[in-house]
Amino acid sequence: MVGLMRLSPSFICFMCVHAVVMVDAHLQLSSGLMSRSDFPTGFVFGAGSSAYQIEGAAAEDGRKPSIWDTFTHAGKMIDMSTGDIASDQYHHYKEDVKLMHETGLEAYRFSISWNRLIPDGHGAVNPKGLNYYNNLINELVDYGIEPHVTLSHLDIPRSLQDEYDGYLSPKFIEDFTAYADTCFKEFGDRVKHWITFNEPNIQTITGNDLGNGPPNRCSYPFGVNCSTGNSTTEPYIGAHMILLSHASAVQLYRENYQEIQKGQIGITILALWFEPVCDSPDDIAAKQRMLDFHLGWFLDPLVYGDYPATMRNIVGSRLPFFTENDSKQLKSSYDFIGLNHYSSLPVEDQPITFNKYGSDYIRDISVKGLSSKSLHQMKSTMPVDSRSLQRLLEYVNLKYKNPAVVIHENGLRGHGDNCNAQALNDTERVEYLQSYIESLLLSIRNGSDVRGYFVWSFMDCFELIDGYRSHYGLYAVDFNDARRKRYPRMSAKWFSSFLAKEKNSAKISSH
Ligand SMILES: *[C@@H]1O[C@H](CO)[C@@H](O)[C@H](O)[C@H]1NC(C)=O
Ligand SMILES: *[C@@H]1O[C@H](CO)[C@@H](O)[C@H](O)[C@H]1NC(C)=O
Ligand SMILES: *[C@@H]1O[C@H](CO)[C@@H](O)[C@H](O)[C@H]1NC(C)=O
Ligand SMILES: *[C@@H]1O[C@H](CO)[C@@H](O)[C@H](O)[C@H]1NC(C)=O
Ligand SMILES: *[C@@H]1O[C@H](CO)[C@@H](O)[C@H](O)[C@H]1NC(C)=O
C-alpha cells in the first residue's frame, strides 16, 4: 500500500507544488521589520463590515427586506440564523466608531442597505434610513475616519427580486443607477470612496448557479433545493447586468458628481489565487482558465471591454454580448479595483462534465480541486501562505495594466465559541494579518499600485457562509448578550499598535 501511494500521481504532484513554492522563498520579508510608516503617502488602513451582516434592526424604522432576509427567514442557513439583530450596529454605531478611533483605524468600509434607504428598491427615500447613514458618516468624519462605502454588498431589495428577478433583468440597471444617484447626492459631500458592488463574481455563483445563497435560484443537476432558476445561463446573465449597472453608476458619478465631490469609484471582486497542482502544461492551462473565469469575468470587461476569449470559447452562446456602447462605457469605468483576498486554492486539469452536486460554472472551468464545497467555503481556513497575495497582485499588475488596487477584505476565520479566552487570544489571526500585510508591502515595492488595506472584519458579525458559527472580527461580539457587548481580541491590540505609526510598532506582538 505504502509503495503504491508513493508512486501515485497525486503524491508526486503534491511534491510539485512544494517545489514551486520553494523557488519563491527569497521573496519573504523577515517578520517583524515592517511598520506603518513603510507604506506610501496616502495609503490607508482600515477594517470592514456590510449592512446585513452588522446592522440588525431588520424590521425597524421603515426598512423592508432584502433577498438575504428572505433567505435566512426560510431557514436556509446551516445554523438557521438570521441577521435580524446581528451585531446591532444600528443601535451601537456611536460606540463602534469610538472603538474604531481607539483602535486607530484610518478608514471604515461599510455598506448601505439599499432596502433601508429606498425600501421598495425604487421610489421614495426612507427618511429614517437616510438619517441613520448621515449619522454614521458624520460620526466617522468627526473622528477623522474615512468612510469607504459599498452600494450593494450582496444584498438587493426583495421587492426588485419579486418584481423582475433582480439583476437578471435590464430594469435593474436603471434602478441601481437611481439608487446610486441618491447616495452620491446625499452622502457624496463626505464620502470620497465608493464601491458599486461587492463580489459579484461569487454572488452570481452562489445565488444563481449553486443556489446555496440568495436569491436561491438554480437548476438540476447543477444545484438542488431551488424551486426556480437556470444554472447554465443565469450566472452569466446576472454578471452581465451587474457589470452594466456598475458602468452606468460610474458614468453618472463622473458626469454629475466627481468634479465637485472629488471622490473615487470602483468595484470589488473576490480574488482568490490558484496554484496548479503540477507544473504540467495541462494544470497550468487549468490555472489560467480558473483565473479567467474568476477574475477575468469582471476585470477583462472593465479593462478591455469584453469577456476573456477563454470564456467565449467555453461558454459559447450562453455568454451575453456587449454592444459597442456597452464596451465603451465599461472600459476604464473604475478609479480603483477592490480585491477581497483570503487564500489560494490548488487546481488541476480535469476533463469532467459535472457531478451531481457540482456547479455549471465548475463544469465550464473543468478544474479539479474546486468543488461546490470549496467555492462555498472559500473564506475558510486554507493553508496560510501570504505569497498568494504577492502572486495575485503581480498578475493583476501585468495582465490588467497595473490598476490602482485596494485590498478590501483579508482576514482569518475562527470557529466555535467566539468569546472565550482562546477566541480572544487570537495569535493565529495576528500572524496571518502580519504576514499578509508584509506581502502587500513587498508587492508595493515591486511596483503594484496598492492604495489601501482593510481587515475583514472590524467586529464579529453574521457571516454569509455559516451565520454565527465562524468569526473574523478584531473585536468579538457576545451574541448571547442582549446588548451585544464587544470585546477586543489580541488582533485588535496588534493592529492598533501597528497603526500607531511608531517605527517597528508591528514588533509588538502577542508573545
Ligand atoms: C436540501 O435541503 C434539505 C432540507 O432542507 C437538506 O437536508 C439537504 O442537505 C439539502 N441538500 C443540499 C445538497 O444542499
Ligand atoms: C436553461 O436555459 C437554456 C437556454 O435558454 C435552455 O436550453 C435550458 O433548457 C434551460 N434549462 C432549464 C432547467 O430551464
Ligand atoms: C450609443 O451611445 C451614443 C452616445 O452616448 C448614443 O447616441 C447612441 O444612441 C447609443 N447607441 C445605442 C445603440 O445605444
Ligand atoms: C516582482 O516583479 C517581478 C517582475 O514582474 C517578478 O518576477 C517577481 O516575482 C515579483 N516579486 C514579487 C514579490 O511580487
Ligand atoms: C495567548 O496564546 C499564546 C500562545 O498561542 C500564549 O503564549 C500567550 O500566553 C497567550 N496569552 C494570553 C493573554 O493568554
Side-chain angles (χ1 to χ4, degrees):
M1 274 305 280
V2 172
L4 275 177
M5 278 180 70
R6 274 181 54 202
L7 289 173
S8 84
S10 66
F11 184 77
I12 294 163
C13 286
F14 179 77
M15 295 300 289
C16 286
V17 168
H18 197 64
V20 169
V21 169
M22 291 303 288
V23 173
D24 275 355
H26 69 280
L27 296 176
Q28 260 184 313
L29 190 85
S30 50
S31 188
L33 293 175
M34 161 192 70
S35 86
R36 171 67 187 91
S37 57
D38 292 329
F39 287 81
T41 316
F43 192 93
V44 71
F45 277 98
S49 72
S50 93
Y52 186 70
Q53 296 178 264
I54 201 162
E55 284 179 3
E60 256 176 80
D61 291 347
R63 181 188 182 277
K64 284 190 181 173
S66 78
I67 55 174
W68 268 99
D69 296 84
T70 313
F71 187 78
T72 57
H73 280 256
K76 299 274 184 180
M77 295 299 292
I78 191 166
D79 63 349
M80 305 296 280
S81 65
T82 74
D84 286 1
I85 304 175
S87 320
D88 204 18
Q89 185 160 83
Y90 191 77
H91 296 115
H92 295 275
Y93 73 90
K94 282 197 176 179
E95 177 192 329
D96 287 347
V97 175
K98 193 156 173 283
L99 270 188
M100 291 171 207
H101 168 69
E102 285 164 10
T103 313
L105 286 200
E106 299 157 7
Y108 179 49
R109 174 177 181 251
F110 65 95
S111 75
I112 291 174
S113 161
W114 182 348
N115 41 289
R116 190 185 290 288
L117 189 63
I118 303 176
D120 292 318
H122 44 200
V125 170
N126 170 17
K128 287 184 174 169
L130 187 62
N131 197 37
Y132 173 67
Y133 293 111
N134 269 324
N135 288 343
L136 173 60
I137 291 164
N138 289 341
E139 199 72 13
L140 289 165
V141 170
D142 281 352
Y143 277 107
I145 300 169
E146 290 179 6
H148 289 231
V149 178
T150 311
L151 294 174
S152 179
H153 194 110
L154 309 164
D155 56 342
I156 69 157
R158 177 185 175 160
S159 58
L160 301 186
Q161 192 63 37
D162 293 347
E163 221 176 294
Y164 53 66
D165 290 335
Y167 51 71
L168 293 179
S169 164
K171 290 179 188 159
F172 184 79
I173 302 171
E174 197 184 318
D175 283 337
F176 179 76
T177 309
Y179 159 59
D181 193 20
T182 302
C183 293
F184 302 149
K185 190 170 74 207
E186 299 291 349
F187 311 125
D189 57 332
R190 289 151 292 155
V191 174
K192 306 300 171 193
H193 302 86
W194 294 104
I195 300 141
T196 54
F197 291 91
N198 177 71
E199 295 187 4
N201 57 333
I202 194 67
Q203 174 163 19
T204 45
I205 300 309
T206 57
N208 300 75
D209 179 1
L210 293 163
N212 55 6
N216 190 213
R217 294 173 67 93
C218 61
S219 61
Y220 184 82
F222 303 108
V224 291
N225 287 350
C226 298
S227 54
T228 181
N230 189 333
S231 295
T232 63
T233 54
E234 286 189 5
Y236 299 113
I237 296 167
H240 196 77
M241 294 304 167
I242 290 174
L243 276 165
L244 296 179
S245 305
H246 159 82
S248 166
V250 171
Q251 186 175 343
L252 174 85
Y253 186 66
R254 287 187 169 165
E255 282 172 1
N256 295 356
Y257 297 98
Q258 195 161 36
E259 205 178 311
I260 307 154
Q261 297 183 347
K262 305 208 181 318
Q264 304 221 311
I265 189 162
I267 186 169
T268 297
I269 60 173
L270 181 64
L272 301 169
W273 184 244
F274 304 92
E275 291 292 350
V277 168
C278 263
D279 210 2
S280 67
D282 284 351
D283 284 2
I284 291 170
K287 168 192 166 182
Q288 188 56 51
R289 212 152 57 230
M290 187 67 227
L291 286 170
D292 285 339
F293 273 77
H294 182 63
L295 304 176
W297 193 9
F298 283 80
L299 294 187
D300 271 58
L302 292 167
V303 177
Y304 300 112
D306 198 5
Y307 296 115
T310 328
M311 290 189 77
R312 284 253 169 256
N313 293 339
I314 296 170
V315 185
S317 65
R318 289 177 292 133
L319 192 64
F321 284 90
F322 294 113
T323 65
E324 233 171 89
N325 272 9
D326 292 343
S327 289
K328 241 172 67 189
Q329 200 187 20
L330 268 166
K331 259 200 250 182
S332 308
S333 63
Y334 57 90
D335 299 313
F336 60 83
I337 298 290
L339 301 174
N340 293 349
H341 180 76
Y342 287 86
S343 62
S344 103
L345 293 176
V347 295
E348 190 178 0
D349 180 55
Q350 183 169 248
I352 46 148
T353 47
F354 54 84
N355 65 55
K356 197 165 163 216
Y357 299 112
S359 131
D360 188 47
Y361 177 81
I362 291 169
R363 182 193 61 167
D364 285 338
I365 306 171
S366 288
V367 295
K368 204 167 139 188
L370 188 80
S371 62
S372 59
K373 190 164 175 232
S374 64
L375 259 177
H376 192 44
Q377 300 189 333
M378 271 175 177
K379 294 181 179 180
S380 57
T381 318
M382 301 289 172
V384 173
D385 177 5
S386 65
R387 281 163 296 181
S388 61
L389 181 60
Q390 291 170 29
R391 297 191 180 109
L392 169 73
L393 288 170
E394 193 196 339
Y395 179 79
V396 170
N397 176 347
L398 298 178
K399 173 119 184 170
Y400 296 108
K401 306 182 182 177
N402 201 15
V405 163
V406 183
I407 303 301
H408 273 145
E409 292 183 17
N410 177 239
L412 185 67
R413 183 188 204 204
H415 303 264
D417 186 344
N418 69 331
C419 283
N420 63 22
Q422 203 189 347
L424 294 179
N425 185 21
D426 57 344
T427 52
E428 267 182 57
R429 185 172 287 117
V430 169
E431 280 163 26
Y432 175 100
L433 295 175
Q434 171 153 347
S435 156
Y436 272 90
I437 294 172
E438 282 175 358
S439 278
L440 184 61
L441 182 57
L442 289 174
S443 295
I444 292 170
R445 288 183 177 162
N446 209 29
S448 280
D449 185 9
V450 189
R451 309 280 178 91
Y453 172 92
F454 291 75
V455 175
W456 182 268
S457 52
F458 179 63
M459 61 176 56
D460 292 350
C461 59
F462 169 82
E463 279 298 331
L464 301 180
I465 293 170
D466 52 7
Y468 302 103
R469 284 196 186 172
S470 66
H471 54 266
Y472 289 81
L474 296 172
Y475 286 81
V477 173
D478 184 355
F479 294 108
N480 295 316
D481 170 23
R483 284 207 69 255
R484 296 294 190 274
K485 195 165 165 22
R486 286 88 162 101
Y487 298 91
R489 291 208 169 98
M490 186 61 79
S491 55
K493 294 171 192 164
W494 176 81
F495 199 42
S496 186
S497 63
F498 170 70
L499 294 175
K501 296 186 177 71
E502 310 232 336
K503 200 73 190 154
N504 292 337
S505 58
K507 266 187 179 166
I508 303 161
S509 77
S510 47
H511 304 295

